[in-house]
Amino acid sequence: MYLAGSIRDNNLEDVEWREEAIKRLSKKMILLNPLAEKHFDEETKTWDIVGVKSSAELIFKQDKWCVDNSDIILANLLCLADEYPTIGSLLELGRAWAKEKLIYLIVPKGYKGHEQSAKMYKLHPFLHGIAAHVFNSVEESLDYLEVYLDVLNGTKPSYRK
């Protein structure tokens, strides 16, 4: 499972939710984390990956590989509440959908991104259309996945408890 979502400089939330997912789900499946071995240098205000200076091309190609080699995408879009555009995550979701990946989204409860009119939808219909389910918190998504991953990986195929 690929842990998609924003990676904002100096925003611990973007790290912490991934670490919680790893803690709770890594015994059930392989998790791909785009932050693994990336480090932000406060002094130079640049990222490096295992000592190699990060670049847009390097990040793009590695994240694309992660999407392509995952069966499931868990995309944290909570940053939308901060009006952060998360363009990279949205592109990853488009690629994941085109490759028929199973997609779960985390979107802030009550998100009102499309409020041009009281009659319009709140969450873009494309996001609803690609997602198997939209959760309102990291906790809610991880609670679900902790149980349902056993169904998806075949270790609990029976209806019986």
Side-chain angles (χ1 to χ4, degrees), residues 91-111:
L91 289 169
E92 290 170 341
L93 288 171
R95 184 173 187 86
W97 179 75
K99 294 190 167 281
E100 300 183 0
K101 307 295 182 172
L102 181 58
I103 299 170
Y104 295 105
L105 300 179
I106 306 167
V107 177
K109 186 175 180 124
Y111 175 67

Side-chain angles (χ1 to χ4, degrees), residues 11-48:
N11 191 311
L12 282 178
E13 292 173 27
D14 296 345
V15 174
E16 290 167 346
W17 82 268
R18 288 178 171 97
E19 293 302 317
E20 183 65 17
I22 291 164
K23 183 173 110 182
R24 291 178 59 180
L25 304 177
S26 63
K27 291 184 180 165
K28 295 183 179 277
M29 68 180 337
I30 295 169
L31 297 166
L32 298 175
N33 178 4
L35 276 171
E37 296 303 327
K38 288 183 182 174
H39 304 283
F40 186 72
D41 185 329
E42 287 290 336
E43 191 175 306
T44 64
K45 304 291 186 207
T46 59
W47 287 90
D48 74 76

Side-chain angles (χ1 to χ4, degrees), residues 3 8-9 26 45 77 79 89 93 97 122 127-128 134:
L3 304 174
R8 298 170 284 177
D9 298 346
S26 63
K45 304 291 186 207
L77 302 179
C79 63
S89 298
L93 288 171
W97 179 75
K122 291 182 180 174
L127 290 175
H128 272 295
V134 178

Side-chain angles (χ1 to χ4, degrees), residues 89-151:
S89 298
L90 294 173
L91 289 169
E92 290 170 341
L93 288 171
R95 184 173 187 86
W97 179 75
K99 294 190 167 281
E100 300 183 0
K101 307 295 182 172
L102 181 58
I103 299 170
Y104 295 105
L105 300 179
I106 306 167
V107 177
K109 186 175 180 124
Y111 175 67
K112 298 176 178 165
H114 270 70
E115 279 194 320
Q116 291 95 337
S117 145
K119 295 180 182 177
M120 282 194 69
Y121 44 81
K122 291 182 180 174
L123 184 62
H124 198 286
F126 285 12
L127 290 175
H128 272 295
I130 67 170
H133 190 73
V134 178
F135 299 98
N136 292 127
S137 71
V138 171
E139 184 72 22
E140 184 185 357
S141 70
L142 297 180
D143 288 347
Y144 174 83
L145 289 167
E146 272 186 312
V147 174
Y148 200 65
L149 285 177
D150 290 338
V151 173

